[in-house]
Amino acid sequence: MTRVPAAVTAAAGLIGGYSVARITKKRPLGGVALGVAGVVAARQWAGKVGSGKAAALTGLYLAGFAGSHPLAKKVGAWPSVLGVTGVVAGASWAVERSAAAAVAG
């Protein structure tokens, strides 16, 4: 079975959390989706890159969520969500790739 990269899990959490909140009009439900994906991503990061880098990526995930709110007031909701998702997913991909290269090399 192919494993889903943590970058994809984190992106799904940020986009999915916002989508669930918007579609259902229940922000707490979106928060549940965001939280579940965040926990899964954090566990994936811990297993792949170690606890220190996992903590940093989890912090970035949370900062992206929090930062998307004031950013949305300037650029709109979807551009904000997609922008922070790109940053989080890109950072996750880069850290995971670096860790994989260190193991392989």
Side-chain angles (χ1 to χ4, degrees):
M1 179 197 257
T2 303
R3 294 188 182 245
V4 175
V8 173
T9 304
L14 291 164
I15 292 172
Y18 175 69
S19 297
V20 167
R22 185 175 175 113
I23 290 167
T24 65
K25 303 205 184 319
K26 295 183 186 331
R27 291 179 69 160
L29 194 56
V32 169
L34 176 89
V36 168
V39 168
V40 171
R43 291 186 65 162
Q44 289 176 297
W45 288 321
K48 293 179 181 178
V49 301
S51 60
K53 291 177 183 173
L57 288 167
T58 301
L60 182 62
Y61 181 84
L62 294 171
F65 164 68
S68 69
H69 291 82
L71 182 60
K73 293 179 181 179
K74 298 190 183 299
V75 300
W78 274 114
S80 174
V81 170
L82 295 174
V84 300
T85 298
V87 169
V88 172
S92 175
W93 176 82
V95 171
E96 288 181 72
R97 181 179 167 132
S98 174
V103 170

